[in-house]
Structures are given as structure tokens and as C-alpha cells.
Amino acid sequence: MFILPPQVEFALNKLNFAGYEAYIVGGCVRDILRGEAPSDYDITTSAEPEQTKAVFKGERIIETGLKHGTVTLIKDGTPLEITTYRIDGDYTDNRRPNSVKFTKTLTEDLARRDFTINAMAYSKKTGVVDAFGGQEDLKNGLIRSVGDADHRFNEDALRIMRALRFASVLGFKIENETKKSIIKNRNLLNNISVERIATELVKLLCGKNAKDIILEYYKVLEVILPEIKGMQGFDQKNRWHIYDILNHTALTVQNSPATPVFRLTALLHDCGKVDTFFVDDNGVGHFYGHPEVSNKKAQTTLKRLKIDNATSDTVLTLIKCHDMPIEPTKPAVKKVLNRLSPDIFFKLLDVKRADNLAQNLELTKDVLVTIDNIEKIAKEIINSGECFSLKDLAIGGNDLINVGIPAGKELGKALDFLLDAVMNEKVENEKQALLGYLSGKM
Ligand code: ATP
Ligand code: MG
């Protein structure tokens, strides 16, 4: 089961040969035991950083965090983090230990790690070192704190988000005591930097169990995402909606492709509903203007979480447009393709699918068929190179200036007019035809 890459073997052997203990540790051991390929390998060793540096003299070494005991060895292009067995000192800020102390005992190093499934080490000589029942928890699909959960979340509250993230990504449950402690200590997340929270949140959202985690740990998410408050139990009073806003949102997340753009869009697409709710005389609920309000609230969220601009811009556009009706006709589809660009257009269809799948399927099944039709039409338009933007138009500004249309507003209007005519199939997208059509209308 444990077939290690040659670079890892090299590092472990070198350390052993120099008289030190060395193991692979943490996420890589967990992943190998689950039968998955680890994304990277971390090594833990009894050698202190200066000793590790001496062992790898002549190799490429980066002093990643000497104070915390970490040296990175780059072997054949692969970075390997080698960290000295370590006991973390006191934590006073729910974030980082005030000091770290090196130790000669592997189990002391394992004890500082967050969850039992992440607190195992392995070496060829010793096999798996599992002092906290990690293998058992792995088998049962459980995230459990190493030691007293309250104590561990108080030390570093990011572990709260890590627990949720691992549960979502691995499809695990959080063990009961650990769960209770997470709920109890959730406000400690206010002490954690947004960057660290955002990284975990995005991974959580992209996990296969995101829906269950959102529903079960909504209270925790509210702490870091005040914009999603008020969704739980919110009856939409509308026959299209058989779920409250929270269940609808969680289902939409689950139905969306597992990438940050889609999952963030799904999480936030209806956050403006609680602010726009209106019940008409027949007792039917409406949310007029909610996409704009969701968009505004999502701007605040994404900015606070420091989500990169490209992701943010796409998410905000998708939220704003998620409820926009699109007719399944060529001219209508071309108009939207022009406005959004094909990439965003196809993403929008995926958002709409996920959204409709999380409603009353009796009613939305027809909508879903229409979305498929729209997609077919859009693909046809693009594959056959049909014109849907000014840059596809067989005529440009200069052509119109040459026939005497003055540059400026009038020119822009004439081009838009011609594009509209081409998209509505009133005239062929061909230069002479367009000039003729324009002069006929002037
Ligand atoms: P991933 O698959 O995301 O890399 P991982 O478990 O390897 O998961 P890392 O953040 O790479 O996570 O951390 C490596 C190891 O360091 C963890 O497995 C765990 O043992 C330990 N660790 C990381 N963060 C913490 C933390 N906040 N508190 C305690 N231990 C931690
Ligand atoms: Mg890792």
C-alpha cells in the first residue's frame, strides 16, 4: 500500500542514515490509507532544522520556517517539507502558538495535530504510527479532535473550518463531542484571518458533501458569512419552492459543478431573498429584485473574503443574471451571448440548471428542458460562426465613415442597429447587403 515516490524515499533514508528518525506524516498518510494519491508529502523528523540542513548539504534547501522547525528540500523538482518533531507552546490568540519547542518523541508531535485522521505517521521500518485511533476513525468516516476538542479549537479556531472542510471533501461525519465543541466555539472564528477562512470555505463548498455540511453547520457559516443569515426555515410561500431558502441554497450548491465560481455563486445567489420577500393578496410569496440585492450582498462577502477579482466578477455576474429569462430562440440567445460572452453564458445555464433542480421539479422539469434547448441553440450559433457581436459583424466603423456617417454616437448607433438586424435575420451578414440595408433605413 505504501509505495513512496523516490524523492521521499531518498529523504527518509538520508535522515535515517545520519541517525535520525523520519516519517511521512499527516495528510499524505491519511490519503494513502484511503487509497488516494497524496497531493504532497510532509516529513517529520527527530533532526533539528540545522541538522536537517547538514544532512542535505549540497541539495536544494529552502529555509521555509526555521523557527517552526521547517526546512523544504527540493528534490528533482519536488518540494518536500521536513519538520522537526514539535510541541506547540501556549496559544493566546486562537491562531498561532506563542512558541514552539522541539522534542525527540514522535507521539508528542502527533498530539499537536488537529484530527485523528491527520495525526498518523508512517515509515517502512515502523509501519503506521497511530496513537489516537486515526485508522479506526478513517474506517468509520469520522473527524475527531486529537485530545480535548474545546481546548484544541481554542488554541487554533481555524481547525473549526478545517473540520468542516474535511467532512465535506471526504464525505465524513464530525464525531459528536467534536461537533458540539465546534458549535459552541464558533465565534472564535472572528479571530481568524479572512484569507485562511476563505481557503477552507472554498474547499468546503467544492466538497462532495457540501450540502450536508451547510445544513448541519449553518450556525458556524453564519459567523463568517453574515450575508447568508435568515435563510433557515424561511418559507418562500410559493408553489415553485418546496424548500426553505437554506435547503434550496444547499441543494443548489450540491447540484452545481464543483468549482469555486459555481459553488460561491450557488451559495450566495439567493441571499437577497430574505430582504425582498413580499406576500401578495393571495398569500403568494415573491422576491422582486432579489438578484440585484443578492449581487450587492455578495459583493460585500467576496470583498471581505478577498476572493480574487476574476472569480468575484464572474460570480457577481452569474448572481445578477441567475433569474434572467432567456427565450429559446436564436435572436434572443444571440442577444444574451453578445451581452455576456459565450463562456459566461454557458456558465449561466449551469447555474440555472442547479437552481431549478433545487425547486419543485413538477414545475421546473419544463424549465430544465428549455435550458437544454437554449444550450443547443447557443452551440449551434457558435459552431456555425453566426454573428452575435460587433466584432463578428461584416462591417466596421471605418466602412461606415467611408460612406459618410460621422464618427461618434451616430456611428455606434448605426453599428448596433445593423447587429440587431443581423441577429434577427433581417439582413445577411455581408458588407454590401449591410450597407444597402442601412441606406434603405436612413
Ligand atoms: P490537504 O490534503 O489539504 O493538504 P492536509 O491534512 O495535508 O490536507 P495541511 O494543511 O497540508 O493539511 O497540513 C498538513 C498536516 O499538518 C495536517 O495533516 C495536520 O496533521 C497538520 N495541521 C495542519 N494544520 C493544522 C492546524 N491548524 N492545527 C493542527 N494541525 C494542523
Ligand atoms: Mg497537505
Side-chain angles (χ1 to χ4, degrees), residues 121-418:
Y122 167 87
S123 76
K124 216 185 235 165
K125 209 165 64 197
T126 316
V128 177
V129 181
D130 175 14
F132 304 99
Q135 289 179 100
E136 185 68 14
D137 284 340
L138 206 51
K139 205 167 70 203
N140 296 324
L142 283 177
I143 308 292
R144 182 197 310 267
S145 284
V146 174
D148 177 65
D150 275 354
H151 181 68
R152 303 310 308 282
F153 291 129
N154 272 280
E155 282 180 344
D156 178 2
L158 184 74
R159 291 171 188 155
I160 293 175
M161 287 305 294
R162 285 175 58 89
L164 269 49
R165 184 257 283 199
F166 286 119
S168 173
V169 170
L170 303 174
F172 281 18
K173 298 295 279 182
I174 299 176
E175 173 276 329
N176 221 14
E177 290 304 311
T178 307
K179 172 178 175 169
K180 274 198 258 172
S181 180
I182 285 176
I183 306 279
K184 178 171 140 198
N185 291 300
R186 64 189 187 277
N187 285 316
L188 295 177
L189 282 171
N190 288 317
N191 302 336
I192 301 298
S193 80
V194 285
E195 288 91 342
R196 295 175 82 206
I197 286 181
T199 306
E200 296 299 332
L201 174 68
V202 168
K203 287 184 184 172
L204 182 173
L205 289 174
C206 293
K208 64 178 175 208
N209 251 20
K211 174 178 122 282
D212 294 346
I213 299 301
I214 292 169
L215 293 176
E216 209 171 329
Y217 294 92
Y218 177 60
K219 270 195 179 142
V220 177
L221 297 181
E222 278 179 322
V223 175
I224 55 165
L225 299 166
E227 294 79 15
I228 64 168
K229 279 187 174 173
M231 292 180 171
Q232 194 166 38
F234 197 117
D235 180 354
Q236 307 196 54
K237 295 191 187 306
N238 188 306
R239 65 196 185 98
W240 287 80
H241 292 286
I242 49 176
Y243 304 108
D244 69 10
I245 301 178
L246 179 61
N247 274 277
H248 166 70
T249 296
L251 257 178
T252 307
V253 168
Q254 193 83 26
N255 294 336
S256 301
T259 71
V261 160
F262 285 113
R263 296 288 170 106
L264 284 166
T265 301
L267 179 73
L268 298 168
H269 80 287
D270 272 353
C271 67
K273 274 195 165 177
V274 294
D275 308 284
T276 51
F277 187 51
F278 154 78
V279 183
D280 67 21
D281 292 343
N282 300 318
V284 177
H286 304 279
F287 303 90
Y288 297 123
H290 81 270
E292 284 74 22
V293 178
S294 297
N295 169 287
K296 283 272 150 15
K297 290 174 90 175
Q299 275 182 42
T300 311
T301 314
L302 298 169
K303 206 162 162 195
R304 188 182 57 251
L305 295 178
K306 300 191 180 151
I307 301 293
D308 68 274
N309 286 342
T311 303
S312 269
D313 289 350
T314 308
V315 168
L316 291 171
T317 305
L318 292 170
I319 291 176
K320 197 189 254 171
C321 298
H322 80 266
D323 232 13
M324 178 175 80
I326 306 173
E327 288 285 315
T329 66
K330 265 195 175 179
V333 170
K334 284 179 184 174
K335 232 181 177 138
V336 186
L337 274 172
N338 181 28
R339 200 180 125 197
L340 294 183
S341 87
D343 176 50
I344 304 283
F345 181 91
F346 289 111
K347 285 195 166 78
L348 178 62
L349 296 186
D350 281 337
V351 171
K352 282 177 167 292
R353 271 194 195 102
D355 188 6
N356 278 283
L357 279 167
Q359 299 180 28
N360 181 357
L361 282 176
E362 282 293 308
L363 297 178
T364 58
K365 63 181 191 304
D366 294 338
V367 180
L368 288 162
V369 171
T370 304
I371 293 170
D372 287 347
N373 275 336
I374 292 171
E375 187 169 64
K376 237 185 263 152
I377 294 170
K379 282 187 176 155
E380 226 174 83
I381 292 168
I382 287 165
N383 289 341
S384 60
E386 287 179 54
C387 166
F388 58 83
S389 77
L390 281 181
K391 75 173 171 24
D392 307 323
L393 204 58
I395 207 166
N398 280 337
D399 300 311
L400 297 189
I401 290 170
N402 287 343
V403 296
I405 297 180
K409 226 174 172 174
E410 202 176 325
L411 184 74
K413 257 186 168 164
L415 285 169
D416 284 341
F417 170 77
L418 288 175

Side-chain angles (χ1 to χ4, degrees), residues 26-27 30 42 112-114 118 156 159 162 165-166:
R30 177 198 67 218
D42 294 326
R112 74 170 169 88
R113 295 173 184 273
D114 49 4
N118 290 342
D156 178 2
R159 291 171 188 155
R162 285 175 58 89
R165 184 257 283 199
F166 286 119

